[in-house]
């Protein structure tokens, strides 16, 4: 059917001298599976080559008005470039509640209807044409501005200009129109598309069929009356105008929202539990860091190649290659040809290595955070990588993608880049890092995502959005100057570190300031000051600031993308795959629940057991010896506790006072109280102990004990828990059933 449609396109072009472009793009997309971007560029070749043959016949029969053809073609190309580069980017995304495309296509449809009516009203041939060069150039410029702004319609504007405004006889106007279309299309193709990955065999076969249709159209045109052709063209204009309006206002169905993860740690492995959770979330592919490119400005090397463990072949993967600061620093000085060859070789080697381990590699991805001004150079690099290795060229079963900064959206550089890849992943995080501790910023900025997401509509390829589910630490020197990222500790470890003092902890708004619940973006910030130097004598007075994510961070960013994406958005990729027990990532089970819209919260369980020291009983010869209590505290819920010194407090109140030596083990702090006055006291007089833990992840279990009780005999214990959820706004306070500890049996009742 695709070739039948191509035959019809050639027939219309030969018969009426227009309509090739607007028919060819849907044919290439609908019947041959090209993307809209590929089809737009490829249609230039098919239409241009077909029009070339038609124009050639017109030259042979001396039916081409060459002067107006050239004076129309060249200015129209210039006008189209001006429109695409200057006019279109300056048009607001929405006008009077309508999208930019709806306004532009409706305006174009009205213009076409007016032109069609004029052609129907035209009586016979006009006077002998007089070609005022300035006027023809002006017409050509207007054609280019209109077709460039609206993205289609050059052919439908050229013929009316030739017949209505320049009074050229229809018999000459059609081959002259084909000449203009030929110059426009082939010129645009060789200027804008040559050098990209092009499916030449497919295009040549389609063009060959279209040429047959062109021949049929030319034959019929010679026999058909001029008035009939003029009327047919006018009615075709009406049909296309109606089609454009319907297309503009037709709601395009969005593809199902896909979800995937970036996997950054080594080795890459997926446990059966991971695989089950990923399946429940609907993950069909993973994006796995395969290595880091580094270099000195001359050569590129691959650092930290990925290794593969159990379960690595459970899902198809895209291998991700990021760039270190050295490569980015020298990016501008690389020879693009040399760098592209070296990168392609190393990417190919890692692809083969992964396949040998049994992985299905569905594509590769570059993660280079280059300066915005270097995006054209980045586009050139990717184009050369793709053409230098057959694996990376455009093909159905293997995709080449790239990540991007949100600040790139709306720039011409990213639009050019989007022509070179199969999809792009703008990352909605880390747009700004505070230069001082007081300017510390959260990882995610919802307003930035809101402002920039609409600009993704201008990309020439599908896109995903990267959303955060991770935290990190930033270190500042004693003068509060930004030093870099810090990987020595996680925040829960910093709470216990003797050399660090907690300065502040708070839920944050988008500016990095303490937030009320309505302004909270789903992150927590903790800041520590180094009160002792490191073993090498450095570090005293340094500040370490931690960003800690919560499930709400994922839920809010996912929901916004889901509700506001266009049909070109494929879904979200979450950075990054969680690490068990880490406060810097969010467990898969928790992510699964928040993506389904389910609430999550911590659930704390406490188990106590008692015992007596058998050796002490033998040594003293007494049976009535003190009791040792052991506490097991676990989070069986779906959310971590709030990360702060009092994020979780377990209070044990005994019916008899007197507490001896206590081993904290996994808890961060132990305090002793008089339960009647709720004041701290000496352990020997205390009947209450409070165990504090700064962070308890879902599924995590901690131990405390032995807690030596200075009394023997049955001891009754009241258990009370205060647990703050990851938001930090409202604690959950509850009591657990009392426990009686028996000393004779050595275990709890």
């Amino acid at each position: 059917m695709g070739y039948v449609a191509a035959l019809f396109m050639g027939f219309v072009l030969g018969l009426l001298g227009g309509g090739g472009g607007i028919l060819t793009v849907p044919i290439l997309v609908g019947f041959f599976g090209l993307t809209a971007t590929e089809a737009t560029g490829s249609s230039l070749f098919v239409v241009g080559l077909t029009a070339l043959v038609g124009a050639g016949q017109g030259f042979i029969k001396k039916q081409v008005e060459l002067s107006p053809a050239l004076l129309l073609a060249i200015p129209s190309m210039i006008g189209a470039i001006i429109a695409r580069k200057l006019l279109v980017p300056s048009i607001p995304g929405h006008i009077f509640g309508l999208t930019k495309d709806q306004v532009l296509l409706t305006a174009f449809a009205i213009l076409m209807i007016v032109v069609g009516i004029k052609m129907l009203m035209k009586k016979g041939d006009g006077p002998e044409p007089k070609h005022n060069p300035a006027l023809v150039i002006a017409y050509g410029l207007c054609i280019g501005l209109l077709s460039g702004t609206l993205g289609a319609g050059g052919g439908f504007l050229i013929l009316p200009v030739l017949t209505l405004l320049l009074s050229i006889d229809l018999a000459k106007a059609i081959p002259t129109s084909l000449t203009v279309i030929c110059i426009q299309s082939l010129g645009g193709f060789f200027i804008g598309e040559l050098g990209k990955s092009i499916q030449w065999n497919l295009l040549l076969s389609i063009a060959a069929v279209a040429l047959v249709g062109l021949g049929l159209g030319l034959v019929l045109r010679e026999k058909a009356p001029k008035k009939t052709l003029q009327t047919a063209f006018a009615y075709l204009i009406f049909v296309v105008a109606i089609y454009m309006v319907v297309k503009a206002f037709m709601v395009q169905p969005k593809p199902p929202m896909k979800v995937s993860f970036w996997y950054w740690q080594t080795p890459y492995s997926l446990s059966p539990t991971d695989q089950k959770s990923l399946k429940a979330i609907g993950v069909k592919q993973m994006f796995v860091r395969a290595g880091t490119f580094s270099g000195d400005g001359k050569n590129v090397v691959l650092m930290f190649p990925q290794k593969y463990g159990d379960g690595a072949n459970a899902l198809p993967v895209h291998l991700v290659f990021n760039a270190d600061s050295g490569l980015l620093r020298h990016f501008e000085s690389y020879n693009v040809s040399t760098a592209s060859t070296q990168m392609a070789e190393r990417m190919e080697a890692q692809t083969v290595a992964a396949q040998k381990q049994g992985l299905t590699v569905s594509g590769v991805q570059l993660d280079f955070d280059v300066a915005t001004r270097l995006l054209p150079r980045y586009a050139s690099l990717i184009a050369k990588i793709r053409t230098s290795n057959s694996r990376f060229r455009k093909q159905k079963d293997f995709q080449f993608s790239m990540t991007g900064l949100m600040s790139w959206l709306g720039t011409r550089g990213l639009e050019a880049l989007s022509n070179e890849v199969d999809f792009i992943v703008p990352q909605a995080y880390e747009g700004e890092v505070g230069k001082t501790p007081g300017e510390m910023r959260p990882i995610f900025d919802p307003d930035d995502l809101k402002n920039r997401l609409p600009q993704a509509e201008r990309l020439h390829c599908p896109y995903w959005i990267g959303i955060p589910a991770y935290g990190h630490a930033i270190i500042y020197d004693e003068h509060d100057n930004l030093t870099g990222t810090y990987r020595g500790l996680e925040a829960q470890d910093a709470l216990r570190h003797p050399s660090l003092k907690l300065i502040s902890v708070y839920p944050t708004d988008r500016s990095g300031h303490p937030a009320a619940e309505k302004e909270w973006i789903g992150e927590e910030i903790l800041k520590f000051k180094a009160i002792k130097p490191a073993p090498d004598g450095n570090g005293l007075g340094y500040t370490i600031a931690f960003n800690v994510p919560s499930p709400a961070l994922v839920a809010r960013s996912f929901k916004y993308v889901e509700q506001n994406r266009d049909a070109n958005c494929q879904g979200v990729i979450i950075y990054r795959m969680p690490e068990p027990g880490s406060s810097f990532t969010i467990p898969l089970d928790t992510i699964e629940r928040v993506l389904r819209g389910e609430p999550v919260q911590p659930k704390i369980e406490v188990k106590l057991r008692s015992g007596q020291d058998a050796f002490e009983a033998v040594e003293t010869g007494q049976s009535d010896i003190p009791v040792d209590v052991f506490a097991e505290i676990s989070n069986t819920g779906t959310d971590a506790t709030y990360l702060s010194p009092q994020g979780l407090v377990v209070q044990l109140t005994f019916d008899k006072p007197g507490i001896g030596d206590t081993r904290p083990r996994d808890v961060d702090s132990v305090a002793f109280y008089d339960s009647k006055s709720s004041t701290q006291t000496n352990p020997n007089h205390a009947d209450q102990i409070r165990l504090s833990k700064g962070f308890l992840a879902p599924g995590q279990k901690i131990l405390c004990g032995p807690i030596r009780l200075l009394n023997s005999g049955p001891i009754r214990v009241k258990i009370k828990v205060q647990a703050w959820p990851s938001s930090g706004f409202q604690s959950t306070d509850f009591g657990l059933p009392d426990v009686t500890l028996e000393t004779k049996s050595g275990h709890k009742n």
Side-chain angles (χ1 to χ4, degrees):
M1 287 300 297
Y3 288 104
V4 173
L7 186 74
F8 176 72
M9 180 276 292
F11 176 76
V12 171
L13 192 62
L15 179 66
L16 303 176
I22 205 164
L23 293 173
T24 305
V25 171
I27 290 171
L28 293 175
V29 173
F31 292 105
F32 296 99
L34 273 67
T35 65
T37 301
E38 293 170 336
T40 302
S42 299
S43 69
L44 294 174
F45 176 78
V46 174
V47 174
L49 187 61
T50 308
L52 176 63
V53 175
Q57 188 198 53
F59 271 105
I60 294 173
K61 294 185 177 182
K62 298 183 179 180
Q63 294 176 326
V64 175
E65 295 283 350
L66 187 57
S67 177
L70 294 175
L71 292 176
L72 280 175
I74 297 174
S76 69
M77 290 180 63
I78 296 172
I81 293 172
I82 293 173
R84 299 308 297 174
K85 299 295 185 181
L86 298 178
L87 291 184
V88 174
S90 65
I91 298 174
H94 289 79
I95 304 170
F96 302 119
L98 301 175
T99 67
K100 177 168 64 178
D101 284 349
Q102 288 172 338
V103 172
L104 292 176
L105 290 176
T106 301
F108 184 53
I110 293 172
L111 174 64
M112 292 180 71
I113 290 172
V114 171
V115 169
I117 293 173
K118 287 282 188 181
M119 294 197 73
L120 287 177
M121 294 174 61
K122 188 172 186 288
K123 302 294 185 180
D125 295 332
E128 186 68 23
K130 295 181 180 180
H131 305 148
N132 184 326
L135 187 63
V136 177
I137 290 173
Y139 289 153
L141 189 63
C142 290
I143 291 173
L145 290 173
L146 283 170
S147 62
T149 301
L150 302 169
F156 283 111
L157 293 173
I158 294 168
L159 192 64
V161 166
L162 293 173
T163 57
L164 297 177
L165 300 180
L166 299 181
S167 300
I168 296 177
D169 178 69
L170 190 63
K172 292 184 177 181
I174 290 178
T176 303
S177 174
L178 290 174
T179 303
V180 177
I181 292 172
C182 170
I183 296 172
Q184 282 183 319
S185 299
L186 292 182
F189 178 80
F190 286 110
I191 291 173
E193 302 297 317
L194 206 61
K196 298 179 182 178
S197 181
I198 298 170
Q199 301 183 43
W200 286 109
N201 291 338
L202 176 64
L203 296 189
L204 289 171
S205 64
I206 295 173
V209 174
L211 287 173
V212 175
L214 177 82
L216 297 175
L218 292 174
V219 171
L220 184 59
R221 190 185 78 196
E222 294 293 331
K223 298 180 180 180
K226 295 178 183 178
K227 182 63 178 175
T228 302
L229 292 177
Q230 187 170 297
T231 302
F233 189 83
Y235 281 115
L236 182 60
I237 284 178
F238 294 149
V239 171
V240 173
I242 294 171
Y243 164 77
M244 282 188 160
V245 173
V246 171
K247 181 182 178 183
F249 285 89
M250 184 182 297
V251 178
Q252 294 188 13
K254 297 178 182 178
M257 186 78 163
K258 300 175 184 176
V259 179
S260 189
F261 285 84
W262 276 295
Y263 193 109
W264 226 241
Q265 54 265 37
T266 300
Y268 170 55
S269 62
L270 296 175
S271 69
T273 302
D274 291 339
Q275 295 177 37
K276 182 179 178 181
S277 294
L278 292 171
K279 182 178 180 181
I281 293 171
V283 174
K284 304 295 185 184
Q285 57 190 341
M286 296 288 288
F287 291 79
V288 180
R289 189 196 65 81
T292 300
F293 282 124
S294 182
D296 57 2
K298 295 181 180 179
N299 295 298
V300 178
V301 297
L302 187 74
M303 311 275 290
F304 316 117
Q306 184 62 270
K307 298 178 181 178
Y308 303 96
D310 295 338
N313 60 353
L315 290 169
V317 300
H318 290 247
L319 299 181
V320 185
F321 299 85
N322 66 319
D324 70 1
S325 58
L327 186 139
L328 296 177
R329 187 167 57 251
H330 297 295
F331 189 79
E332 196 169 7
S333 57
Y334 276 103
N335 179 287
V336 173
S337 296
T338 302
S340 63
T341 300
Q342 293 175 341
M343 288 182 186
E345 290 173 352
R346 287 151 180 76
M347 292 163 69
E348 168 72 11
Q350 291 304 308
T351 302
V352 172
Q355 290 174 332
K356 288 182 178 179
Q357 294 294 319
L359 278 71
T360 300
V361 181
S362 299
V364 293
Q365 184 176 89
L366 291 184
D367 179 28
F368 291 9
D369 293 343
V370 304
T372 304
R373 64 182 178 81
L374 296 178
L375 291 180
R377 186 175 182 83
Y378 193 13
S380 177
L381 176 72
I382 290 178
K384 288 185 177 297
I385 290 175
R386 300 201 71 172
T387 56
S388 67
N389 188 300
S390 60
R391 184 192 297 276
F392 304 141
R393 292 172 190 161
K394 288 186 182 294
Q395 50 184 304
K396 190 173 183 179
D397 299 325
F398 195 93
Q399 294 182 303
F400 195 112
S401 63
M402 56 167 281
T403 65
L405 303 178
M406 292 298 285
S407 59
W408 293 354
L409 288 173
T411 65
R412 297 174 188 171
L414 187 61
E415 290 184 38
L417 260 171
S418 66
N419 286 319
E420 305 299 341
V421 294
D422 297 306
F423 63 89
I424 289 177
V425 191
Q427 298 167 321
Y429 45 83
E430 291 200 71
E432 183 179 356
V433 177
K435 295 181 180 180
T436 68
E439 298 172 346
M440 178 74 175
R441 292 291 184 269
I443 290 173
F444 175 62
D445 184 346
D447 287 357
D448 189 58
L449 175 61
K450 179 180 179 180
N451 293 332
R452 296 187 186 276
L453 184 59
Q455 297 176 346
E457 298 176 7
R458 291 167 53 181
L459 296 174
H460 300 156
C461 65
Y463 66 93
W464 299 60
I465 295 293
I467 62 174
Y470 74 100
H472 64 192
I474 305 294
I475 189 167
Y476 301 88
D477 65 19
E478 68 271 25
H479 303 296
D480 287 344
N481 297 316
L482 176 66
T483 300
T485 56
Y486 179 74
R487 296 181 175 85
L489 292 172
E490 289 201 9
Q492 69 270 30
D493 302 315
L495 286 172
R496 306 180 68 175
H497 201 287
S499 298
L500 298 175
K501 179 182 179 181
L502 180 65
I503 303 172
S504 60
V505 51
Y506 52 87
T508 180
D509 64 12
R510 61 175 296 268
S511 299
H513 300 137
E517 191 165 3
K518 288 184 179 179
E519 288 78 36
W520 180 55
I521 63 166
E523 291 181 47
E524 176 187 359
I525 289 180
L526 301 92
K527 298 176 184 177
F528 294 84
K529 181 73 75 173
I531 56 177
K532 296 179 182 179
D536 61 4
N538 296 318
L540 181 64
Y542 277 35
T543 299
I544 306 175
F546 293 87
N547 288 94
V548 178
S550 78
L553 175 66
V554 178
R556 294 179 183 188
S557 55
F558 177 85
K559 183 177 180 180
Y560 186 84
V561 173
E562 184 178 37
Q563 292 178 344
N564 295 278
R565 68 191 178 113
D566 63 10
N568 212 25
C569 180
Q570 306 299 296
V572 298
I573 306 177
I574 299 173
Y575 183 81
R576 63 190 192 266
M577 185 72 176
E579 300 174 56
S582 171
S583 62
F584 280 161
T585 55
I586 301 170
L588 271 179
D589 179 65
T590 302
I591 292 176
E592 175 192 342
R593 292 173 185 274
V594 298
L595 293 184
R596 291 202 304 259
E598 297 179 8
V600 294
Q601 60 183 9
K603 181 181 179 182
I604 307 302
E605 294 184 358
V606 180
K607 295 181 181 180
L608 300 178
R609 68 178 179 87
S610 63
Q612 292 173 304
D613 191 333
F615 291 103
E616 184 175 350
V618 171
E619 290 177 357
T620 62
Q622 299 177 359
S623 59
D624 191 20
I625 60 174
V627 178
D628 289 333
V629 179
F630 300 85
E632 178 184 289
I633 306 168
S634 56
N635 182 357
T636 59
T638 52
D639 189 12
T641 60
Y642 185 61
L643 212 163
S644 73
Q646 303 297 311
L648 171 64
V649 178
V650 175
Q651 177 181 288
L652 306 178
T653 304
F654 306 101
D655 61 355
K656 300 174 184 179
I659 302 174
D661 294 337
T662 297
R663 183 184 176 193
R665 298 182 72 174
D666 299 324
V667 300
D668 295 341
S669 66
V670 177
F672 304 92
Y673 284 78
D674 177 351
S675 64
K676 294 180 180 179
S677 63
S678 295
T679 57
Q680 282 192 261
T681 186
N682 186 289
N684 293 337
H685 303 119
D687 65 345
Q688 187 179 93
I689 186 171
R690 297 181 186 178
L691 312 175
S692 300
K693 181 66 177 177
F695 176 79
L696 198 64
Q700 187 178 0
K701 181 189 299 183
I702 59 174
L703 302 174
C704 178
I707 303 169
R708 172 61 60 94
L709 301 184
L710 301 181
N711 293 282
S712 60
I715 298 175
R716 194 162 187 81
V717 187
K718 292 181 179 293
I719 307 173
K720 185 179 179 180
V721 176
Q722 182 184 64
W724 292 82
S726 57
S727 65
F729 288 110
Q730 183 63 51
S731 68
T732 301
D733 300 70
F734 59 92
L736 295 175
D738 293 356
V739 172
T740 299
L741 301 176
E742 298 286 356
T743 57
K744 290 183 180 180
S745 61
H747 60 274
K748 74 168 187 174
N749 280 343

